[in-house]
Amino acid sequence: VIYKYARVSYDEDNDELTEGMHIQLYMEELQRQDPIEQLPDQYIMVGRISVMLRGFAHALRQSRSIAKAWKPIAEKVLKEEKC
């Protein structure tokens, strides 16, 4: 469940991933199956922005993977921080 939640929050959403459900209903179903008791505020904001940007992209019929877009930035930061 946590993998599905992370994928829909921080990567992409499509009918296959959300099992044909609206994203909000799908996330509510995941929460019902395995409630998230605590999540850092930073993760909540990133997830919210990710969903909002993808919603805008869907309206323009331009499906996007936020994780793929952020990958080069994340790799650069990790390299600079020597993680």
Side-chain angles (χ1 to χ4, degrees), residues 1-71:
V1 171
I2 193 68
Y3 172 77
K4 291 178 180 180
Y5 187 83
R7 180 118 186 255
V8 79
S9 293
Y10 309 113
D11 187 18
E12 63 182 342
D13 60 275
N14 54 50
D15 286 341
E16 183 179 341
L17 179 63
T18 61
E19 301 168 9
M21 299 171 75
H22 182 277
I23 188 170
Q24 182 64 40
L25 296 175
Y26 182 71
M27 292 178 86
E28 288 173 5
E29 175 60 21
L30 294 177
Q31 180 70 10
R32 186 193 65 73
Q33 290 177 22
D34 188 9
I36 295 174
E37 295 178 8
Q38 187 175 354
L39 193 63
D41 290 343
Q42 299 91 326
Y43 289 5
I44 294 169
M45 185 57 73
V46 170
R48 182 180 170 114
I49 290 169
S50 174
V51 170
M52 290 172 65
L53 287 172
R54 283 183 285 133
F56 182 62
H58 285 308
L60 298 173
R61 302 197 189 287
Q62 298 290 318
S63 184
R64 296 284 187 261
S65 166
I66 301 298
K68 288 177 185 172
W70 288 341
K71 183 180 178 183

Side-chain angles (χ1 to χ4, degrees), residues 68-83:
K68 288 177 185 172
W70 288 341
K71 183 180 178 183
I73 299 165
E75 288 174 336
K76 180 181 176 197
V77 170
L78 290 172
K79 185 177 178 180
E80 288 172 358
E81 297 293 324
K82 297 181 176 130
C83 294

